[in-house]
Amino acid sequence: MPVIKDAVCSLCGSLCDDITVTVEDNKITKIENACILGHSKFVGMLEHDRIETPMIRKDGELVPVSYEEAIEAAAKILVNSKRTLSYGWCSTSCEAVSKAIQLAEETGSVIDSTANVCHGPTALAAQEKGAPSASLGEIKNRADVIIFWGCNPVHAHPRHMVRYSSFSKGLFTEKGRKGRKMIVIDVRKTDTAKLADNYIEIEQGSDLLLVTALRSIVNGHEDVVPETVAGVPKAKVVELAETLKNAKFVCIFFGMGVTQSRSKYKNGDAMSSLISDLNQHTKAVMIGMRGHYNVTGFGQVATWETGFPMAIDFSRGYPYYNPGETGANDLLVREEPDAAIIAAADAGAHFPQKAVRHLAKIPVIQIDPYPNPTTEIADVVIPAAIVGIEAEGTAYRMDAISLRMKKLIESKFKTDEEIVKDLITKVRELKRGAENVGNPD
């Protein structure tokens, strides 16, 4: 009965790497250290409905076929397409992401990640003002003031506070929770807020106002701050600013409550400026609470291969990037794509109705371990192995630290990387065939 130690949980951006897994007869029988969500990933999700075989839609019904037939059908869609959208790629390995970018370049497609509808504004803010950050290990060992702004790790990242932040004990934080001040800023009193030393409830969409007021106070311009900011009394804002200035090490963890509320990337822009202001008085950093376990990895791989983190258009023969124009939803709402690949994501469940309606009109290729609403509109469905369980690969934690995920059990399914490699090969083969037909000499 093999026991695998230090396995990496491929669920959320925390990428907990201290999981112990017991395997018996190629089945996971015991999980140690995982949270309830991670446990469901390792055990429950393997028992969850899987896409058991590749499928092609014929006469309105999905019909089982071989991997080779599905790859060929998908490749034909890509070769015949003039404007393909490739979307998702954040719940798979960096190796698969690299191949997906290569496929997008080969086919002149637009490739975009799930970040575009969650932490995409964080990337834009980093491009404008930078992202003063640190590793989660630094936070564990040094931070004495921790802010959770527009996020709820109790539910979204259950072990985050125990392993890396509020409750963790580190080199210079031996007292753990007792030696830290935990502040939560949100529009409602979440379960995370109930654990805070100081909960500040703000008005919806007013994050930028509060950040700006904090910057004014930190920089000695308290007099320009009105009596109420973002629904918060001035005295409370001044108290918060003083707490941050007098801390030894501040970390602001921010979530989609910041990135997807009014002002979007300008919230991150201002927060980065606040961190810079605080660093005139103490040490301060900021880290986005990334959701999908490798959404950070997509941004890393895309940036080093193309120069851009998401929404990359290869139709010109080189990478072109313009969020708001080349994002997945922007394209679908304008009804530009005539084919789509949805991989390791579920656009059918999470995109706006207008975008999904257009997806339903065009050929869709799905690459995923599990059936979901996207399966219902897909024309070619290709099942994949689960990375971190049935396949190994690299992923980046929310703090941009790369970790190697282990293969724990054998699987009959191809990996995302293998599937995309096969697609690239078949696309090139079909292109060569078309060229030979056009030039018989």
Side-chain angles (χ1 to χ4, degrees), residues 30-277:
K30 186 179 179 182
I31 304 292
E32 296 176 62
N33 297 334
C35 68
I36 189 169
L37 299 181
H39 190 275
S40 70
K41 173 83 175 188
F42 282 103
V43 179
M45 295 299 265
L46 286 169
E47 298 169 354
H48 191 276
D49 288 341
R50 295 288 293 272
I51 301 172
E52 290 295 336
T53 180
M55 296 180 284
I56 296 175
R57 193 172 296 279
K58 296 179 180 178
D59 299 323
E61 297 292 329
L62 286 172
V63 179
V65 295
S66 65
Y67 267 106
E68 291 71 22
E69 290 174 284
I71 293 292
E72 183 161 3
K76 285 179 179 177
I77 290 171
L78 296 176
V79 169
N80 292 325
S81 169
K82 294 181 179 178
R83 187 69 163 157
T84 303
L85 168 65
S86 178
Y87 172 78
W89 307 106
C90 289
S91 291
T92 187
S93 66
C94 290
E95 292 78 8
V97 171
S98 180
K99 289 299 174 185
I101 293 169
Q102 185 179 345
L103 177 62
E105 185 172 12
E106 184 73 35
T107 56
S109 304
V110 178
I111 185 166
D112 197 12
S113 79
T114 57
N116 210 306
V117 292
C118 59
H119 271 272
T122 303
L124 299 181
Q127 289 167 346
E128 287 233 339
K129 285 285 175 67
S133 188
S135 71
L136 291 175
E138 283 288 284
I139 309 309
K140 172 182 177 177
N141 287 315
R142 299 178 184 277
D144 62 328
V145 172
I146 291 172
I147 296 181
F148 291 107
W149 196 322
C151 56
N152 188 13
V154 165
H155 292 291
H157 304 83
R159 296 187 73 212
H160 186 281
M161 290 192 288
V162 174
R163 291 206 74 210
Y164 307 120
S165 53
S166 306
F167 295 96
S168 61
K169 294 181 180 179
L171 205 59
F172 306 108
T173 53
E174 303 95 336
K175 293 182 180 179
R177 180 69 181 87
K178 293 179 181 178
R180 287 190 169 97
K181 190 172 185 67
M182 175 177 160
I183 301 164
V184 173
I185 301 172
D186 216 320
V187 297
R188 64 185 62 85
K189 193 164 188 177
T190 62
D191 286 336
T192 302
K194 293 173 185 175
L195 302 174
D197 297 302
N198 184 10
Y199 167 56
I200 299 174
E201 187 166 312
I202 63 172
E203 295 171 346
Q204 180 73 43
S206 62
D207 304 83
L208 183 59
L209 297 177
L210 182 56
V211 177
T212 304
L214 286 170
R215 289 195 64 203
S216 298
I217 297 167
V218 168
N219 288 306
H221 301 293
E222 180 184 331
D223 56 307
V224 303
V225 177
E227 289 305 311
T228 303
V229 179
V232 182
K234 179 178 179 178
K236 202 165 185 178
V237 180
V238 171
E239 180 188 348
L240 174 59
E242 291 302 318
T243 298
L244 299 180
K245 284 171 62 178
N246 294 323
K248 294 177 181 176
F249 192 119
V250 177
C251 180
I252 299 178
F253 290 105
F254 61 99
M256 285 177 61
V258 173
T259 65
Q260 292 299 322
S261 67
R262 184 187 297 172
S263 304
K264 292 206 171 183
Y265 84 93
K266 284 297 181 183
N267 292 330
D269 180 318
M271 195 169 288
S272 180
S273 297
L274 171 62
I275 296 298
S276 297
D277 295 337

